[in-house]
Amino acid sequence: MMKKSAGVEQSNPLFRQVYEFMLNRIERGEWKAHDKLPSIRLLADELGVHRLTVFKAYRALTENGMLYVKDKSGYYVSPGSRLANSVEEGAAILGYTVKSPMSDIQRKPVTYQFSQALIDPGLLPNLFLSDYVKKVFDLYPKVMGTYSSVQGDEELRTTLSRHFHDRYRLQLSAGELLITSGAQQAINLIAGIMLGPMDAVLVERPTYSVALDIFRRAGARLVPVEISPQGYDLAAVEELMRRHKPRMFYINPTHHNPTGYTVPAKQRKLLVELAERYRCLLVEDDPFRDMHFEEEPPTPFFAYDTEGWVIYISSFSKYVAPGLRICAVACRYPFMERLIAAKSLADNGTPLLNQKIFLHYYTSPRLQQHLGKLRIALQVHKEIMEEELAAAGWEWTAPQGGLNLWVKLPDTVPVDTLFVRCMEQSISFVPGEICDPLGEMKSWLRLSYSFASEGLLREGMRRLTAIAREIEAEGRRGE
Amino acid sequence: MMKKSAGVEQSNPLFRQVYEFMLNRIERGEWKAHDKLPSIRLLADELGVHRLTVFKAYRALTENGMLYVKDKSGYYVSPGSRLANSVEEGAAILGYTVKSPMSDIQRKPVTYQFSQALIDPGLLPNLFLSDYVKKVFDLYPKVMGTYSSVQGDEELRTTLSRHFHDRYRLQLSAGELLITSGAQQAINLIAGIMLGPMDAVLVERPTYSVALDIFRRAGARLVPVEISPQGYDLAAVEELMRRHKPRMFYINPTHHNPTGYTVPAKQRKLLVELAERYRCLLVEDDPFRDMHFEEEPPTPFFAYDTEGWVIYISSFSKYVAPGLRICAVACRYPFMERLIAAKSLADNGTPLLNQKIFLHYYTSPRLQQHLGKLRIALQVHKEIMEEELAAAGWEWTAPQGGLNLWVKLPDTVPVDTLFVRCMEQSISFVPGEICDPLGEMKSWLRLSYSFASEGLLREGMRRLTAIAREIEAEGRRGE
């Protein structure tokens, strides 16, 4: 018993690695059908592991049908073990199995851009920004020759921690903030720390499609949580937490992407309590908070967290200067240590220049003036889009902020057909199924009103609804 | 037979995922010693997989000693299965097992900085650079509001492909270049694509320690290749490629970090042929090429590659403006597709502002003037350090370029003691063992001469060698 237990501790992680290594060789076709595999002794020497480990891995693969044994002489690869398309001839390269449909849509330049949840660069304070850049060079003449610390510039983190306190009522120190290159990097780093194969992750349905791509690539299981104008069904969330023991719940609860919904204040405290009880990290992605219309949104989930179960991603750079790619992630120890280690390997820190420009602009009174104007401009954009949707008789829930409308098409307009025709006429939008972890929601689309100028917005929406009417007419004629 | 083969293809990837999922639960202590595990039916429902898959995974874990069966009633967790230190109480968080000793050294600010292979910001053209920034804002007023494409700004890639042709004789199109945020991000993305658990990766011995951290974190096996002033022993490399079937060989063949050695031209073509024959990707990291003294270094490996087995990482930003973190990666289709997909999930593209500033400065005549001056300054720095080393009677091979000296200590000076004493007196260097994939090389150290100013360099080296003499004297007195 003693002996066995010692063996277990030694061999477990190695067994897994050896097993995966063999599987990869077979999947990539480096070990082909009916190939005789190296002897246990030889392979154990090559990998530098105990022979018993190789033996166990061969056994597990045999049990699983990947290998077969012949004449007691050795192990052979079963036919059909290699996964189709998992390797490209001529380049034995491990491929990602996950593509990003969103980035495919964005790659094609179009005239009527309704697929990008970005702000029209014409609405950004470009001239002001260039002044701040000059100021940065006067203040830090060596900024281009200097690396930032991995966690991010301390001056910026100190300032942001104060601003988060004053503006969002968050209690945090500079040491509890890490600067990343955009929210996407933050999500990717967190997923890398938290998610292993088959780990459950709760995601809103619908949600930000690139986050889904990242979680899928980590091999995680997506467990959908419906989001409605009233927020979540907390009893259902609790049941999912109990059943799936999810590692984390990725939420975008304020002017939610793609729907524009905002989770009400009273649910926020309760969900944080659930997260603590079920040890499920809440990853709160909050890029649209400051882009509200009349009403200020409720306090972030992070404010209710006392035990370190909420990570807060604040990518306000969307409206400051998206090209700088500055995002702040707030979390408590010990998660911050993991995050710094991950960021260190990923790119060793976000460029200092970008952080310093951001700092000086973000803290200026000009930003508040700009933000006030921007809110009005976005509301005007939203209303133009809503007028055209109303004229077409389509359904949507009016959001209190954000950059998108989540629109239900009439049953007579198949979204696939609409999408193809629109792209042909240089109009882009995001088909709803891309945002759905289940890949359904085929009668929905996300229309971003923030990127196109007012003129193009009006004209593009008229063209889009006209195309839909054509498709309906063709359907009636039975084409 | 038909039935079995179909089953195999269905269940293989899922089996692995289910197996890993269970292992993770045990390792994180979510399933504890003597816990009864869920029934096969229940877990199969929860994970959405076939019951047979859960059964097989339970069986494999039982075989491996992680689980035990009791009274035919169910599966239980064996005691001792949970890895020590793999989880922190109070936060069920998956931890990285790999720390970065290099970033620990760099974190402490010191007066005599010999551990950073960076150029003294005082030697960089800070004033010129600020002019180029203003120019960039005039040319692209909306640069701060605009995202770059994932692959990188086309204007920059087109310019760089021409420069690489004219300066390094590389044949490549703009489509064969991707812009990353520093060489480290490039290495991390490539490792993510290429390396799975137990995959072999050839690495020079010694080499860039952060690359070792990245490969270790991917779970890869490090197979060392000795590098000497004469380059590699190609027969030994071939034997390693034959035996280990490495997925890639990470090389830094020009003014190599940490040794300063340069692999001779005649070996370059031969190694590319070996790489093609053994289907081993050569990852050529080339940050020091332009920082040579008298002689121009031989052409990159990439120039000899006709079949797409070399990836070229050109992080010339070290001497242009390291704070911008601009790096170019050259590779052929189909690897470029994988790289774009990885970059897309990692951060969706490097900031456009940084790319545009870099572009305009890199193509200016001022850069060539700056580079000429910088080469002389670096040589002066190197000579100061060499004078002090010679006075101490230590050994090193004079490099033809780069930023480091690789120094052998006398046996009477233990590097650990020297390191601790130096850090106490605000002098930093990199102990050789950090650069060694085997963690040996304990009588070596890497001294960077590029960061400290001439005065601090002289003074710091005198202090460092004095500390070594003290340690020697203590040793003689038997303290």
Side-chain angles (χ1 to χ4, degrees):
Chain A
M1 187 62 208
M2 271 303 290
K3 213 172 162 190
K4 192 182 170 193
S5 162
V8 166
E9 276 175 279
Q10 287 291 319
S11 67
N12 285 334
L14 272 179
F15 169 80
R16 176 164 47 157
Q17 292 189 317
V18 170
Y19 180 90
E20 284 228 342
F21 165 77
M22 292 174 177
L23 214 53
N24 285 337
R25 284 225 166 157
I26 294 168
E27 288 182 357
R28 293 195 299 252
E30 291 166 14
W31 285 347
K32 293 185 187 66
H34 303 298
D35 271 6
K36 184 176 178 175
L37 298 193
S39 75
I40 287 169
R41 192 172 56 83
L42 211 70
L43 194 60
D45 281 0
E46 183 191 327
L47 301 181
V49 299
H50 198 279
R51 291 180 200 172
L52 206 59
T53 311
V54 173
F55 170 72
K56 281 178 178 170
Y58 274 178
R59 278 280 295 277
L61 287 166
T62 307
E63 180 141 311
N64 194 27
M66 304 285 287
L67 302 182
Y68 63 94
V69 187
K70 205 167 78 179
D71 307 331
K72 301 194 177 176
S73 72
Y75 291 86
Y76 293 79
V77 179
S78 303
S81 288
R82 181 173 158 200
L83 297 179
N85 302 322
S86 75
V87 74
E88 287 187 56
E89 289 303 322
I93 284 166
L94 243 183
Y96 288 120
T97 50
V98 179
K99 291 273 288 181
S100 176
M102 184 68 108
S103 75
D104 289 346
I105 294 177
Q106 313 294 20
R107 211 169 289 177
K108 200 185 154 193
V110 294
T111 309
Y112 307 100
Q113 177 52 269
F114 306 145
S115 65
Q116 301 248 36
L118 288 177
I119 293 168
D120 172 10
L123 292 179
L124 294 174
N126 303 295
L127 283 177
F128 291 171
L129 273 170
S130 113
D131 289 351
Y132 284 94
V133 174
K134 286 164 198 152
K135 187 173 163 197
V136 162
F137 276 91
D138 291 343
L139 282 169
Y140 318 94
K142 293 181 180 175
V143 64
M144 302 265 258
T146 314
Y147 281 3
S148 162
S149 80
V150 171
Q151 190 170 359
D153 179 52
E154 191 159 354
E155 190 184 1
L156 175 60
R157 287 186 289 112
T158 305
T159 305
L160 288 181
S161 70
R162 250 184 268 124
H163 273 245
F164 284 155
H165 177 264
D166 299 347
R167 297 180 56 185
Y168 307 159
R169 283 178 287 164
L170 306 182
Q171 298 288 350
L172 46 83
S173 68
E176 290 169 321
L177 283 173
L178 175 123
I179 306 298
T180 63
S181 298
Q184 197 172 314
Q185 183 180 54
I187 299 168
N188 197 39
L189 295 176
I190 294 165
I193 296 169
M194 293 300 290
L195 299 177
M198 299 301 279
D199 276 335
V201 50
L202 298 188
V203 291
E204 292 155 337
R205 177 176 189 238
T207 187
Y208 174 44
S209 72
V210 178
L212 296 177
D213 295 337
I214 290 171
F215 303 151
R216 283 194 186 108
R217 197 189 128 203
R221 261 181 314 137
L222 306 179
V223 178
V225 172
E226 303 288 334
I227 183 166
S228 75
Q230 288 75 45
Y232 315 114
D233 174 347
L234 286 186
V237 172
E238 176 161 13
E239 173 56 22
L240 292 173
M241 286 185 175
R242 213 182 44 70
R243 226 176 96 205
H244 291 280
K245 298 189 177 60
R247 302 275 295 149
M248 61 188 232
F249 184 3
Y250 170 73
I251 58 175
N252 175 207
T254 306
H255 314 312
H256 173 261
N257 175 6
T259 66
Y261 305 153
T262 291
V263 175
K266 67 179 188 303
Q267 287 200 349
R268 297 187 174 221
K269 192 165 181 294
L270 293 172
L271 187 55
V272 171
E273 285 167 11
L274 281 184
E276 287 172 0
R277 193 172 325 142
Y278 291 93
R279 297 173 156 256
C280 169
L281 202 68
L282 290 182
V283 179
E284 180 178 17
D285 191 3
D286 201 18
F288 308 115
R289 165 161 300 272
D290 292 335
M291 283 172 282
H292 58 79
F293 304 135
E294 279 84 13
E295 241 174 89
E296 283 223 18
T299 310
F301 283 68
F302 189 81
Y304 297 105
D305 176 42
T306 52
E307 297 187 26
W309 289 98
V310 181
I311 297 186
Y312 186 68
I313 304 177
S314 188
S315 54
F316 34 70
S317 81
K318 272 205 189 249
Y319 68 86
V320 181
L324 289 177
R325 312 279 294 134
I326 294 295
C327 169
V329 185
C331 66
R332 312 294 183 187
Y333 178 87
F335 198 86
M336 180 53 82
E337 281 217 342
R338 310 291 160 92
L339 206 53
I340 293 172
K343 173 76 176 165
S344 163
L345 291 187
D347 65 9
N348 205 26
T350 291
L352 188 59
L353 173 68
N354 302 246
Q355 298 185 59
K356 289 296 193 190
I357 297 175
F358 185 85
L359 167 68
H360 286 276
Y361 182 59
Y362 187 68
T363 50
S364 72
R366 274 177 174 172
L367 180 77
Q368 289 309 317
Q369 294 164 17
H370 156 61
L371 192 52
K373 283 186 209 152
L374 179 65
R375 283 188 189 123
I376 294 165
L378 285 176
Q379 195 160 6
V380 169
H381 277 232
K382 184 199 71 148
E383 282 162 8
I384 291 172
M385 189 175 262
E386 286 183 317
E387 282 164 25
E388 298 304 317
L389 290 175
W394 293 356
E395 293 167 36
W396 75 99
T397 300
Q400 291 305 309
L403 311 176
N404 308 299
L405 295 182
W406 180 241
V407 178
K408 189 159 187 333
L409 282 177
D411 295 340
T412 43
V413 184
V415 71
D416 306 9
T417 317
L418 183 66
F419 182 72
V420 172
R421 297 266 184 98
C422 280
M423 287 300 270
E424 282 168 7
Q425 298 197 32
S426 212
I427 304 168
S428 71
F429 62 82
V430 175
E433 62 179 296
I434 290 180
C435 308
D436 179 3
L438 302 177
E440 302 170 358
M441 299 194 132
K442 292 207 195 267
S443 56
W444 297 85
L445 55 157
R446 188 191 81 174
L447 291 169
S448 303
Y449 49 76
S450 51
F451 194 82
S453 66
E454 291 181 28
L456 288 174
L457 186 59
R458 175 82 69 190
E459 196 183 315
M461 283 303 296
R462 287 191 176 160
R463 283 169 188 251
L464 186 146
T465 51
I467 293 170
R469 277 195 304 276
E470 273 169 40
I471 295 171
E472 279 184 306
E474 288 165 18
R476 276 195 302 274
R477 291 198 305 270
E479 277 170 31
Chain B
M1 187 61 207
M2 269 304 289
K3 213 173 161 189
K4 192 182 169 194
S5 162
V8 166
E9 275 175 281
Q10 287 290 320
S11 67
N12 284 334
L14 272 178
F15 170 79
R16 176 164 47 157
Q17 291 189 318
V18 170
Y19 180 89
E20 286 229 338
F21 165 77
M22 292 175 177
L23 214 52
N24 285 337
R25 284 223 166 157
I26 295 169
E27 287 182 356
R28 294 195 298 252
E30 291 167 12
W31 285 346
K32 294 186 188 64
H34 303 299
D35 271 7
K36 185 178 178 174
L37 297 193
S39 75
I40 287 168
R41 191 170 56 84
L42 212 70
L43 194 60
D45 281 1
E46 183 191 328
L47 301 181
V49 299
H50 197 278
R51 292 180 199 172
L52 205 60
T53 310
V54 174
F55 171 72
K56 282 179 177 170
Y58 274 177
R59 279 280 295 276
L61 286 166
T62 307
E63 179 140 315
N64 193 29
M66 304 284 288
L67 302 182
Y68 64 94
V69 186
K70 204 167 77 178
D71 306 332
K72 300 195 178 176
S73 73
Y75 291 86
Y76 293 78
V77 179
S78 303
S81 287
R82 181 176 159 198
L83 297 179
N85 301 323
S86 73
V87 75
E88 287 188 56
E89 289 304 322
I93 284 166
L94 243 182
Y96 289 119
T97 49
V98 179
K99 292 272 289 180
S100 176
M102 184 68 106
S103 74
D104 289 346
I105 294 178
Q106 313 293 21
R107 211 168 287 176
K108 201 185 155 194
V110 294
T111 308
Y112 308 99
Q113 176 52 270
F114 306 145
S115 65
Q116 301 249 37
L118 288 177
I119 293 168
D120 172 9
L123 292 179
L124 293 174
N126 302 295
L127 283 178
F128 291 172
L129 272 170
S130 109
D131 290 351
Y132 284 95
V133 174
K134 286 165 197 151
K135 188 173 162 196
V136 162
F137 276 91
D138 292 343
L139 282 169
Y140 319 93
K142 293 180 180 175
V143 65
M144 301 266 258
T146 315
Y147 281 3
S148 161
S149 79
V150 171
Q151 191 170 359
D153 179 51
E154 192 160 353
E155 190 184 2
L156 175 60
R157 287 186 289 111
T158 305
T159 307
L160 288 181
S161 70
R162 251 185 265 123
H163 273 245
F164 285 155
H165 176 265
D166 299 347
R167 297 180 57 184
Y168 306 159
R169 283 178 287 165
L170 305 182
Q171 299 288 348
L172 46 82
S173 68
E176 290 168 323
L177 283 172
L178 175 123
I179 306 299
T180 64
S181 298
Q184 197 172 315
Q185 183 180 54
I187 298 168
N188 197 39
L189 294 177
I190 294 165
I193 296 170
M194 293 300 291
L195 299 178
M198 297 302 278
D199 277 334
V201 51
L202 299 187
V203 290
E204 292 155 337
R205 178 176 190 239
T207 187
Y208 174 44
S209 71
V210 178
L212 296 178
D213 296 336
I214 290 171
F215 303 151
R216 284 193 186 109
R217 197 189 128 202
R221 262 181 312 138
L222 306 179
V223 178
V225 172
E226 303 287 334
I227 183 166
S228 76
Q230 289 74 46
Y232 314 114
D233 174 347
L234 287 186
V237 172
E238 177 161 14
E239 173 56 20
L240 292 173
M241 285 186 174
R242 213 182 43 70
R243 225 176 95 205
H244 291 280
K245 297 190 177 60
R247 303 276 293 148
M248 60 186 233
F249 184 5
Y250 170 73
I251 58 175
N252 175 209
T254 305
H255 313 311
H256 172 260
N257 175 6
T259 65
Y261 305 153
T262 291
V263 175
K266 66 179 189 306
Q267 287 200 351
R268 296 186 175 223
K269 192 165 182 295
L270 293 171
L271 186 56
V272 171
E273 286 167 10
L274 280 184
E276 287 171 1
R277 194 171 326 140
Y278 291 93
R279 297 172 156 257
C280 170
L281 202 68
L282 290 182
V283 179
E284 181 178 16
D285 191 4
D286 201 18
F288 308 115
R289 164 161 301 272
D290 292 334
M291 282 171 282
H292 57 79
F293 304 134
E294 278 85 13
E295 242 173 89
E296 283 222 17
T299 310
F301 283 68
F302 189 81
Y304 298 105
D305 176 42
T306 53
E307 298 187 26
W309 288 97
V310 181
I311 296 185
Y312 185 69
I313 304 176
S314 187
S315 54
F316 33 71
S317 81
K318 272 206 188 249
Y319 66 87
V320 181
L324 289 176
R325 312 279 293 134
I326 293 294
C327 169
V329 185
C331 67
R332 312 294 183 187
Y333 178 88
F335 198 85
M336 180 53 82
E337 281 217 341
R338 310 290 161 91
L339 206 53
I340 294 172
K343 173 76 176 165
S344 163
L345 291 187
D347 65 9
N348 205 26
T350 291
L352 188 60
L353 173 68
N354 302 246
Q355 297 186 60
K356 290 295 193 191
I357 297 175
F358 185 85
L359 167 68
H360 286 276
Y361 182 59
Y362 187 68
T363 51
S364 72
R366 275 178 173 171
L367 180 77
Q368 289 309 317
Q369 294 165 19
H370 157 60
L371 192 53
K373 283 186 210 152
L374 180 66
R375 283 187 189 124
I376 294 165
L378 285 176
Q379 195 160 5
V380 169
H381 277 232
K382 184 198 71 147
E383 282 161 9
I384 291 172
M385 189 175 261
E386 286 183 319
E387 282 164 26
E388 298 304 318
L389 290 175
W394 293 356
E395 293 166 37
W396 75 97
T397 300
Q400 291 306 307
L403 310 176
N404 308 300
L405 294 182
W406 180 241
V407 178
K408 188 158 188 333
L409 283 177
D411 294 340
T412 44
V413 184
V415 71
D416 307 8
T417 316
L418 183 65
F419 181 71
V420 172
R421 298 268 185 99
C422 281
M423 287 299 270
E424 283 167 6
Q425 298 196 33
S426 211
I427 304 168
S428 71
F429 63 83
V430 175
E433 61 179 297
I434 289 180
C435 309
D436 179 3
L438 302 178
E440 302 170 359
M441 299 192 132
K442 293 205 194 266
S443 56
W444 296 84
L445 55 154
R446 188 190 82 173
L447 291 169
S448 302
Y449 48 77
S450 51
F451 194 83
S453 67
E454 290 180 28
L456 288 173
L457 187 59
R458 175 83 67 192
E459 196 183 317
M461 284 302 297
R462 286 191 177 159
R463 283 170 186 250
L464 186 147
T465 52
I467 294 169
R469 276 195 305 275
E470 273 169 40
I471 294 171
E472 278 185 307
E474 288 165 18
R476 274 195 302 274
R477 290 197 305 272
E479 277 169 31

